[in-house]
Amino acid sequence: MMNKTSVYVMVMMGIITLINLFLSYHYIFNVKGLMWMGFVSLFAAMLLIALMIQYYKQQKKQDHSNINEHIKSDDDRILK
Protein backbone atom coordinates (compact mmCIF):
# COMPACT_ATOMS: atom_id res chain seq x y z
CA MET A 1 0.00 0.00 0.00
CA MET A 2 1.29 3.43 -0.91
CA ASN A 3 1.79 5.99 1.82
CA LYS A 4 0.22 9.46 1.82
CA THR A 5 3.25 11.20 0.38
CA SER A 6 3.35 8.89 -2.62
CA VAL A 7 -0.34 9.44 -3.27
CA TYR A 8 0.09 13.22 -3.07
CA VAL A 9 3.03 13.08 -5.49
CA MET A 10 1.06 10.96 -7.96
CA VAL A 11 -1.99 13.26 -7.73
CA MET A 12 0.06 16.42 -8.23
CA MET A 13 1.95 14.93 -11.18
CA GLY A 14 -1.38 13.86 -12.66
CA ILE A 15 -2.82 17.35 -12.30
CA ILE A 16 0.24 18.93 -13.93
CA THR A 17 0.00 16.37 -16.74
CA LEU A 18 -3.66 17.21 -17.34
CA ILE A 19 -2.83 20.93 -17.44
CA ASN A 20 -0.08 20.27 -20.00
CA LEU A 21 -2.43 18.14 -22.10
CA PHE A 22 -5.04 20.91 -22.05
CA LEU A 23 -2.44 23.51 -23.03
CA SER A 24 -1.18 21.34 -25.86
CA TYR A 25 -4.74 20.92 -27.17
CA HIS A 26 -5.35 24.67 -26.85
CA TYR A 27 -2.17 25.71 -28.64
CA ILE A 28 -2.36 23.12 -31.41
CA PHE A 29 -6.05 23.44 -32.35
CA ASN A 30 -7.24 26.86 -31.16
CA VAL A 31 -4.31 29.27 -31.40
CA LYS A 32 -2.90 29.60 -34.89
CA GLY A 33 0.30 31.55 -34.17
CA LEU A 34 1.92 29.48 -31.39
CA MET A 35 1.44 25.93 -32.64
CA TRP A 36 4.99 24.93 -31.62
CA MET A 37 4.11 25.69 -27.99
CA GLY A 38 1.46 22.96 -28.11
CA PHE A 39 4.04 20.39 -29.13
CA VAL A 40 6.31 21.52 -26.30
CA SER A 41 3.41 21.05 -23.83
CA LEU A 42 2.62 17.65 -25.32
CA PHE A 43 6.25 16.58 -24.95
CA ALA A 44 6.26 17.78 -21.31
CA ALA A 45 3.05 15.84 -20.63
CA MET A 46 4.56 12.67 -22.08
CA LEU A 47 7.66 13.12 -19.93
CA LEU A 48 5.50 13.54 -16.82
CA ILE A 49 3.53 10.41 -17.65
CA ALA A 50 6.79 8.46 -18.02
CA LEU A 51 8.01 9.86 -14.70
CA MET A 52 4.75 8.87 -13.00
CA ILE A 53 5.10 5.32 -14.29
CA GLN A 54 8.71 5.08 -13.11
CA TYR A 55 7.82 6.58 -9.72
CA TYR A 56 4.98 4.07 -9.28
CA LYS A 57 7.26 1.15 -10.17
CA GLN A 58 9.94 2.37 -7.75
CA GLN A 59 7.45 2.80 -4.91
CA LYS A 60 6.01 -0.66 -5.56
CA LYS A 61 9.52 -2.15 -5.53
CA GLN A 62 10.38 -0.32 -2.31
CA ASP A 63 7.16 -1.42 -0.61
CA HIS A 64 7.83 -5.01 -1.65
CA SER A 65 11.39 -4.94 -0.29
CA ASN A 66 10.13 -3.74 3.12
CA ILE A 67 7.55 -6.50 3.47
CA ASN A 68 9.62 -8.56 5.94
CA GLU A 69 11.10 -5.62 7.80
CA HIS A 70 9.31 -6.49 11.03
CA ILE A 71 11.04 -9.90 11.28
CA LYS A 72 14.14 -9.61 13.47
CA SER A 73 16.08 -12.82 12.94
CA ASP A 74 16.08 -16.05 10.96
CA ASP A 75 14.68 -17.96 13.92
CA ASP A 76 11.57 -15.81 13.83
CA ARG A 77 11.03 -16.72 10.17
CA ILE A 78 10.46 -20.41 10.87
CA LEU A 79 6.80 -21.22 10.48
CA LYS A 80 5.40 -23.57 13.11
Side-chain angles (χ1 to χ4, degrees):
M1 183 166 156
M2 294 176 68
N3 56 10
K4 277 202 241 181
T5 306
S6 299
V7 172
Y8 291 149
V9 169
M10 293 291 285
V11 167
M12 290 307 295
M13 287 175 75
I15 289 171
I16 293 171
T17 302
L18 289 176
I19 290 170
N20 274 326
L21 287 173
F22 171 75
L23 287 175
S24 67
Y25 170 77
H26 176 72
Y27 281 121
I28 290 173
F29 295 113
N30 293 338
V31 178
K32 300 299 179 200
L34 293 172
M35 184 181 244
W36 62 272
M37 196 64 186
F39 292 112
V40 171
S41 294
L42 186 61
F43 180 71
M46 291 186 333
L47 280 177
L48 280 171
I49 289 171
L51 283 174
M52 279 184 8
I53 291 170
Q54 290 298 321
Y55 182 78
Y56 177 75
K57 286 180 182 178
Q58 181 65 28
Q59 287 299 316
K60 193 174 179 182
K61 182 178 169 184
Q62 185 176 358
D63 289 344
H64 184 67
S65 67
N66 294 338
I67 198 163
N68 289 330
E69 189 176 84
H70 63 281
I71 300 174
K72 295 181 175 70
S73 68
D74 289 336
D75 295 334
D76 294 337
R77 293 181 189 213
I78 298 173
L79 297 174
K80 294 181 182 181

